[in-house]
Amino acid sequence: MADMFNMSDVMISYSRRDKAFVRRLEQALRQTGREVWVDWEDIPTGADFMQEIFAGIEAANTFVFIISPDSVSSAVCLEEVKHAVLHCKRFVPILYREITEEAKKAFHPALSSHNWLFFRETDDFDEAFRLLIKTLETDLNHVRYHTRLLVRARDWEGKNRSDSLALRGDDLREAEAWLKQNAHKSPEPTDLQREYIETSRRLVTRRTRVTAGITAAVILIAALALVAINQSAVAHQAFAAEALARQTSVANERVALAAAVTATVAQGQAVKQAANAATQAAAAEIARATSDYNAIIALQNAATATVAQGQALIEADNAATQAAAAEIARATSDYNAIIALQNAATATVAQGQA
């Protein structure tokens, strides 16, 4: 089975008698950066010989057939040509050694239906090689897509046309556009490629219809569910209204309780504020009383000082009075003495007169 990872630009079919020329041609192609499939390198040991060659043909963009008397008489080469034609591969015949007209007619019709490139020993190899490269590059995008699509189609066919390998999405749209635009180009689309694209489209259409049916069923189920939900909603609305009323009542009670608590808190705040005001007034009154007390103490102290001063004055007056009394007493005593003296004197005088 062809492999997407083993695709090549050229597959060369040849007779072993022409191996030296094929090796030269292969090396020249590889020097241009092209991938070349040749059976002497690419068939694993023990692998089925023809199946590997067929896979190499399917995965190549161009089938190059080396024409020589030995190749046109080879049953293996004939099978290779048939397989390339069956899968509409781009066919490039290269004449390396001349063949007879009888051999040409006896071989597959594809040999005569394509223009030959001449690589005989008498031909200029480089000039012929330039023509080969030009041929390989003609409609290269078309040829490459042809190969990729063929490889996928063969993989799909080899796995019992598994739906999982069908084209879908952008791949399917690209394949359909390619088929429409390149239906008459060479190489032409194969019957297998056409079937692969058409089957893929039918699968996508079927999936779309199934998806649409499922979507419609889902929508119907959703609609029925919506009706049931609406009916259930009507039944639940009364319950919901009652529950809402209960919740509203409870909420109102909670609001009232919260208001009462708020009022109590406010009242407590007012009492606290009144107590603070009373405390402040008492403090002011104490301050005033303290001031008055201090003033009274000052007055008492002043009065005490005045009394003490009055006592001192009184005591001074008493002392002065006592001193004056003593002075009067002395004056009286002196006066009495004087009087006594006068009386004595008078008596003396009187006595003297007598």
Side-chain angles (χ1 to χ4, degrees), residues 106-117:
F107 200 68
H108 196 282
L111 192 64
S112 58
S113 63
H114 294 80
N115 294 327
W116 294 4
L117 297 178

Side-chain angles (χ1 to χ4, degrees), residues 229-274:
I229 290 171
N230 288 335
Q231 292 176 348
S232 177
V234 171
H236 286 290
Q237 281 179 351
F239 175 78
E242 182 180 355
L244 179 61
R246 287 197 300 270
Q247 291 176 355
T248 302
S249 176
V250 171
N252 290 336
E253 291 177 359
R254 290 177 178 175
V255 169
L257 179 60
V261 170
T262 301
T264 301
V265 171
Q267 185 177 4
Q269 290 292 335
V271 170
K272 182 178 179 180
Q273 291 174 358

Side-chain angles (χ1 to χ4, degrees), residues 1-73:
M1 186 62 62
D3 190 335
M4 291 290 287
F5 297 101
N6 292 318
M7 292 174 61
S8 61
D9 297 294
V10 176
M11 189 277 180
I12 301 177
S13 174
Y14 68 103
S15 167
R16 293 292 186 273
R17 292 284 300 275
D18 303 318
K19 189 172 183 179
F21 167 73
V22 172
R23 189 172 294 279
R24 179 185 181 188
L25 181 63
E26 178 210 17
Q27 290 175 352
L29 287 168
R30 290 191 186 278
Q31 287 176 358
T32 66
R34 288 172 170 79
E35 289 293 329
V36 182
W37 199 100
V38 184
D39 63 8
W40 68 61
E41 292 181 354
D42 299 320
I43 300 178
T45 302
D48 186 275
F49 180 73
M50 289 308 299
Q51 290 303 317
E52 287 296 327
I53 290 178
F54 288 163
I57 294 171
E58 294 165 14
N61 294 331
T62 301
F63 177 79
V64 173
F65 183 71
I66 309 301
I67 302 172
S68 71
D70 296 288
S71 65
V72 296
S73 63

Side-chain angles (χ1 to χ4, degrees), residues 118-311:
F118 297 97
F119 279 80
R120 296 165 297 189
E121 291 183 355
T122 56
D123 296 313
D124 186 330
F125 181 90
D126 293 336
E127 180 62 27
F129 187 75
R130 281 193 291 272
L131 290 176
L132 174 60
I133 295 301
K134 182 178 180 180
T135 300
L136 296 179
E137 291 179 347
T138 301
D139 281 336
L140 186 57
N141 290 335
H142 165 65
V143 173
R144 284 175 174 171
Y145 189 80
H146 186 286
T147 301
R148 290 198 304 271
L149 186 61
L150 177 62
V151 169
R152 291 190 63 172
R154 289 283 290 138
D155 189 31
W156 169 71
E157 181 185 42
K159 294 179 180 176
N160 299 318
R161 291 173 162 75
S162 172
D163 291 353
S164 63
L165 298 177
L167 297 168
R168 54 176 57 85
D170 291 341
D171 287 344
L172 177 56
R173 287 188 287 274
E174 183 182 13
E176 289 174 329
W178 174 83
L179 183 62
K180 182 178 180 181
Q181 296 168 7
N182 301 280
H184 302 293
K185 278 189 176 182
S186 179
E188 295 182 356
T190 67
D191 291 339
L192 177 62
Q193 288 172 325
R194 295 177 187 275
E195 182 183 1
Y196 182 46
I197 294 171
E198 292 169 359
T199 302
S200 297
R201 172 52 64 189
R202 285 197 298 271
L203 287 173
V204 170
T205 301
R206 187 173 66 192
R207 288 193 191 100
T208 302
R209 289 174 180 172
V210 170
T211 301
I214 293 173
T215 302
V218 170
I219 292 173
L220 178 60
I221 292 171
L224 293 175
L226 183 60
V227 171
I229 290 171
N230 288 335
Q231 292 176 348
S232 177
V234 171
H236 286 290
Q237 281 179 351
F239 175 78
E242 182 180 355
L244 179 61
R246 287 197 300 270
Q247 291 176 355
T248 302
S249 176
V250 171
N252 290 336
E253 291 177 359
R254 290 177 178 175
V255 169
L257 179 60
V261 170
T262 301
T264 301
V265 171
Q267 185 177 4
Q269 290 292 335
V271 170
K272 182 178 179 180
Q273 291 174 358
N276 289 337
T279 300
Q280 293 173 357
E285 188 64 28
I286 290 171
R288 286 195 299 271
T290 301
S291 176
D292 292 343
Y293 173 77
N294 290 335
I296 290 170
I297 294 300
L299 290 173
Q300 286 178 346
N301 290 336
T304 301
T306 302
V307 170
Q309 185 178 7
Q311 288 293 334

